[in-house]
Amino acid sequence: MRNRVVITGLGVVAPNAVGLPAFREAIQQGRSGITFHQELADLKFSCQIGGIPPITETDKKQYFTDLQLQQLNSSGVIYGVMAGMEAWRHAGLPVATDEPDWESGIVFGTGLLGIEKIRESVYKIDQGQVRRLGSTAVVQTMVSGVSAYLGGMIGCGNQLTANSSACSTGTEALLMAYERIAFGSATRMLAGSCNDHGPYLWGGFDAMRVLPYQYNQSPDRASRPLSASASGFVPGSGAGALVLESLESALERNATIYAEVRGGHVNSGGQRGGGSMTAPNAAAVQRCIQKAVEQAGIQPDDIDLIDGHLTATLKDPDEVRGWVNALGRSGSEFPYINSLKSMVGHCLSAAGSIECVAAVLELHEGFIYPSMNCEDLHPAITDLIDPSRIPQQCIQKPVNVVAKANFGFGDVNACVILTNYQIQTAHANE
């Protein structure tokens, strides 16, 4: 029998806000964090905009010493540590002192960590200056670097690891943490993901011509999920983090419970059946959603809201079609659906975790944030679902069940079902 798993802490570093209170306000107001960057223009990028979290030196000093900041030039490490420690503190959990906390672990994923440090290292090594790399070169560039930093700060004695599955990384990390608690291998897990920013990471996407170039003078209009005029995703960066805990532990310490993780599914389309390195296999997407619903023990009609992947590319109508087919719901019977990427861009490996934080806030506080820049809804989407199911202004209403999914390069998929804990408890007692 599986342990019930709940979420008791949240942390976020996003392009439109740093920290949970500011992020909540930003997503309710539909505030964009996408801005123009002169550096990209100077380097002759076609897309000269992106989402970079507005962190300050004061923000950093809440989590790092002056010496650490002198050595750190990996934005991903900074974002991940800030989000992770905010989530841990938000959960009201202490850090270990003399003895490791054997029941607490971390799964914190990323795509490519420390790209600026890697660039610096290449130049120094080529110049024969290997001894000037510094003592933090390895931990700033290894994929598990954020888990290592956080593990030492918290004193975790359980599993300490990182995952990397492109755009599905954050949602997959949450499910990995969920399974560890559900099957009794840990009591608490800090789950999350992060992503660096900058030209050396975003350049490959610009070269692929999958980024929009028409909105360099109006960046807040550029990210257009679900829109007929969508012309590519806007690159973003940041980190999201969630503390997962067994229900028994959360109740014992009288913790605030923000949501329950009911289950989920991770799979791959094998780059078959229309799937490729950059395009999803539609059958695999539908199977991932259906298996997530099945494992969660709910019915498709129970879902109130879909927090979609929805990147503002030609694949948005295909994604909506996948949800329609997987759930057997269409027209006005379809759940509400939104996309955080309309405000923050596509935060790559950080996307899933930042979006999971937003989904939990919607559940706990009873609102549905708006999908921005989709006043011209794609006709292939409105042929499938009623336009009213895509909120363009914040809606205040109870939300009991959210399906959150991400689909990534390599034809990989992850879907998690999150529920309102109070509602589920009421049903359990009927």
Side-chain angles (χ1 to χ4, degrees):
M1 185 174 179
R2 290 182 296 178
N3 295 320
R4 290 177 67 183
V5 181
V6 295
I7 294 171
T8 56
L10 303 169
V12 65
V13 175
N16 62 347
V18 175
L20 202 58
F23 181 68
R24 178 193 299 110
E25 179 181 337
I27 65 174
Q28 288 180 329
Q29 294 181 358
R31 188 185 310 152
S32 176
I34 298 168
T35 55
F36 172 80
H37 299 285
Q38 186 61 48
E39 179 185 21
L40 300 180
D42 294 342
L43 292 170
K44 304 187 185 312
F45 274 54
S46 296
C47 177
Q48 299 163 5
I49 59 177
I52 298 178
I55 60 174
T56 66
E57 291 303 311
T58 301
D59 291 331
K60 295 177 187 177
K61 288 180 179 180
Q62 294 181 49
Y63 302 93
F64 299 98
T65 66
D66 288 340
L67 178 60
Q68 286 176 320
L69 289 174
Q70 288 174 17
Q71 298 172 331
L72 273 173
N73 61 355
S74 170
S75 56
V77 170
I78 292 171
Y79 299 156
V81 168
M82 289 177 62
M85 288 307 298
E86 181 187 29
W88 198 256
R89 294 169 181 174
H90 186 234
L93 290 166
V95 300
T97 51
D98 299 332
E99 185 91 358
D101 179 354
W102 305 115
E103 290 301 314
S104 294
I106 299 173
V107 182
F108 215 101
T110 190
L112 179 63
L113 195 63
I115 187 66
E116 288 290 338
K117 191 65 179 179
I118 292 171
R119 172 177 175 268
E120 174 191 306
S121 299
V122 168
Y123 277 111
K124 286 184 176 178
I125 290 172
D126 285 350
Q127 294 167 3
Q129 298 178 345
V130 65
R131 295 183 182 277
R132 296 186 60 187
L133 290 180
S135 60
T136 64
V138 173
V139 294
Q140 286 195 67
T141 56
M142 66 184 190
V143 172
S144 60
V146 175
S147 293
Y149 265 99
L150 288 167
M153 295 171 79
I154 295 170
C156 293
N158 206 279
Q159 183 183 31
L160 205 68
T161 191
N163 66 311
S164 186
S165 298
C167 314
S168 65
T169 297
T171 303
E172 181 185 77
L174 188 153
L175 286 169
M176 291 171 67
Y178 161 78
E179 289 179 355
R180 192 154 183 85
I181 298 169
F183 293 106
S185 297
T187 300
R188 292 163 295 276
M189 294 290 292
L190 176 60
S193 63
C194 63
N195 215 92
D196 282 348
H197 70 258
Y200 299 102
L201 187 61
W202 295 346
F205 298 111
D206 199 70
M208 291 172 67
R209 300 183 180 180
V210 295
L211 309 183
Y213 59 86
Q214 308 96 319
Y215 299 93
N216 292 334
Q217 305 308 313
S218 53
D220 61 329
R221 302 288 298 159
S223 187
R224 308 180 66 80
L226 301 161
S227 164
S229 54
S231 57
F233 73 82
V234 178
S237 57
L242 306 95
V243 173
L244 281 69
E245 187 169 0
S246 71
L247 176 60
E248 181 181 12
S249 171
L251 293 176
E252 280 179 359
R253 64 186 192 88
N254 198 30
T256 299
I257 295 173
Y258 295 94
E260 181 169 359
V261 183
R262 289 293 295 271
H265 191 68
V266 174
N267 76 356
S268 168
Q271 299 180 43
R272 302 290 191 274
S276 68
M277 184 62 73
T278 58
N281 176 335
V285 167
Q286 293 175 39
R287 180 181 176 85
C288 185
I289 296 166
Q290 290 170 334
K291 288 290 184 181
V293 170
E294 179 184 319
Q295 194 201 72
I298 65 166
Q299 297 300 315
D301 288 349
D302 294 333
I303 296 172
D304 300 310
L305 170 65
I306 295 166
D307 194 306
H309 186 57
L310 298 169
T311 58
T313 66
L314 294 174
K315 294 299 180 182
D316 285 4
D318 291 343
E319 179 179 336
V320 174
R321 186 176 297 107
W323 286 104
V324 167
N325 292 339
L327 300 179
R329 298 174 63 181
S330 61
S332 60
E333 299 303 313
F334 193 74
Y336 286 101
I337 185 168
N338 56 9
S339 174
L340 191 68
K341 293 181 181 72
S342 64
M343 300 180 227
V344 301
H346 190 340
C347 296
L348 305 175
S349 294
S353 56
I354 294 174
E355 291 161 11
C356 281
V357 170
V360 172
L361 287 174
E362 290 175 295
L363 272 171
H364 184 66
E365 303 194 12
F367 70 90
I368 300 174
Y369 66 75
S371 265
M372 308 303 294
N373 302 325
C374 62
E375 59 278 357
D376 57 337
L377 290 168
H378 198 294
I381 293 174
T382 54
D383 284 347
L384 294 167
I385 66 173
D386 192 286
S388 67
R389 311 319 288 169
I390 303 171
Q392 297 185 42
Q393 293 182 334
C394 188
I395 299 174
Q396 300 290 333
K397 71 182 304 295
V399 180
N400 296 325
V401 183
V402 174
K404 171 75 204 101
N406 291 95
F407 314 112
F409 273 23
D411 200 6
V412 295
N413 311 304
C415 181
V416 63
I417 306 297
L418 304 170
T419 63
N420 184 307
Y421 167 70
Q422 287 77 13
I423 294 295
Q424 296 307 318
T425 300
H427 286 177
N429 291 335
E430 288 177 355

